[in-house]
Structure formats: C-alpha cells, structure tokens
Amino acid sequence: MIKASYEILQPASGHSFLVRTFEISAFDAPYHFHEEFELTYIIRGRGKRYVGSHMEDFTSGDLVFLGSNLPHCWKLAPDEPDNEGASAVVIQFGANFMGEEFFNKPELQVIKKMFQKSGSGISFNGATRNAVNQSMELLADEKGNFKMLMGLLEILQRLAVSNEYALLDQQRNIAEQSRAEQERINPVFAYLVDNFRSHVSLDEASGIAHMTPNAFCKYFKKITRKTFMETVIEYRLNYATQQLVQTDKPISDISFESGFGDVSHFYKMFKNKMHQSPLNYRKNFMREFDGTEIKASA
C-alpha cells in the first residue's frame, strides 16, 4: 500500500531555506507534496514531469516554480543515455521564511502575485530560464550567508517580472484542498503516475483512499471534476501523444506502451480527444514541424 505522500522539510541549523543539488537517485522520489514553495532546475535529465494533474516532458534546463502543497515528481525516461548523469538544483522555502509580513510590502507585490500563480505550477523559458539557471548553480555553491539570501530574492524578482512562462495545472483544484483531503487524494495520484501505463484498478485506487469503490468514484469526481477512468485515459492519451511526435514507433506499440490493451480502443479514444487518428496526428505534426511528410508506421 502506498503511504501518504506528504513531505516535511527542515532547513539546516542557521538557514531559513533549503538549496540542494540532487543526483540521479532523487528522480526516484514518489509523487509528493509539501508546504514549502519549490524552484527546480534540471541540470541534466530527460523524462516526464508531473505537476498536479498535468503531465509534460522535461529535458535539461527545465525550470519550474511550484506553489505550496502542489503535488509533483520528475520521472526519468528509461534507456536514455543522458540520464546516467541526471541532476538538479532545488530551492525550497516556506511562505514566511522572511517573516510573516515581508512579502506584503509594496515593493514585493510582484513576487507575491507570482506566489499566487504558483498554485498551478509555473514553467519558465527563454532568457529568463537561462539567467535563473545560472544563478541557481552559483547559489548552490554558496554557504549560508547574506549573499545567499540576496541571491534567492534576486531570483524571485527576476522570475516575478518575466512574461516568459506557462502555467501547468490550470485547474488548481488538487493543490487547493485541505491537508486532510490532500493526504487522501495525493497517494491515489501517486498510484496513477506509477501505473497508468500498465494495469490500473479501481479497487486498488479506492483501497488507497480507504473508501468503497462507489464512494471513491463520487469523491474523486468531486475533487478533480473528472471521473477516475477519464483521468486514467487522459494520462494515457497525453503519454501517447508525446510518443507519436517524439518517436517513430509503430502506432500499435505506442498504444500498448501507453496502457491501452486494445488498439481499436486507443484509436477511438484518441480520435474523440484530438478529432483525428493517431496516424494523421503524427503526419500533420511532422508536416507543420519541418514541411515534410513522413512515412509513419501503423
């Protein structure tokens, strides 16, 4: 049985926030959440990033700012040579690490607004990402001192004034639940993250939430505004869509690798969502990408 995925973070003595460099083993961390804000820069690595109910590819250079209690994890892609040296710099801090009223000051309102947006998760790009990634690497080499604190505030200001970003889980409904609700629902999402490409059982999911299947279905829809199976299908289609445009694998292989036991069912679900077949989706993407048509395997 999956344990509750709530994590308690404690800065070292003499520090008001955490700055750590993680190696490959950190990417095995389960889908989890904590009260602290988190800024993660992927130095090296490639795989899938899960934030709330949002799933997306990540590569080296990925920079994401997460709000308080927003569940998340990064999973490395299997058989990826670059992942042997996977690493990341992570900064974590509480909302009041500078004092209860610090970010209420007029000069800091732009940072406070970013904190509010971060409940969806924010992915940064462009020059902002490049500059902040460099600053984070420098910060990771600092010891607990005034320069380190000022470095973090400068990073937050740079992010807050940038327009080079995208919100991730725009539903925000998971992160807005009470602690008790999160400790009940987040292990269910951890189960989905780990199993959506293989066998997913309603009985197992409801057991993780300590509910009967019928009660769980009602509860899950109330929390996520989707049925349990709609969420499973969404994860699988998201994964399949990314495989269609990033690999030349046959459609049938992608169907099974994404968790669909039947190719015809995969075609039907994909067409319902994308309004075109998987094969046409791949062809159209490649035509738009480089002006050429590829011979896709069916």
Side-chain angles (χ1 to χ4, degrees), residues 102-118:
F102 184 78
F103 288 105
N104 287 329
K105 291 177 171 53
E107 297 86 352
L108 300 171
Q109 287 308 292
V110 65
I111 295 179
K112 185 176 180 179
K113 288 180 180 178
M114 180 181 69
F115 287 173
Q116 294 168 347
K117 291 180 184 177
S118 68

Side-chain angles (χ1 to χ4, degrees), residues 209-240:
H210 305 290
M211 304 175 77
T212 66
N214 186 51
F216 171 75
C217 286
K218 294 178 180 178
Y219 171 77
F220 190 90
K221 188 167 186 179
K222 176 185 174 184
I223 294 292
T224 66
R225 301 171 196 154
K226 301 174 187 175
T227 68
F228 178 69
M229 284 313 301
E230 283 174 344
T231 302
V232 173
I233 294 298
E234 186 175 273
Y235 269 73
R236 289 173 173 172
L237 288 176
N238 192 329
Y239 184 88

Side-chain angles (χ1 to χ4, degrees), residues 16-17 73 78 108 112 116 157 163 171 191 219 246 296:
S16 58
F17 60 96
C73 68
L108 300 171
K112 185 176 180 179
Q116 294 168 347
Q157 176 68 13
N163 59 5
Q171 295 182 32
Y191 168 73
Y219 171 77
Q246 294 169 6

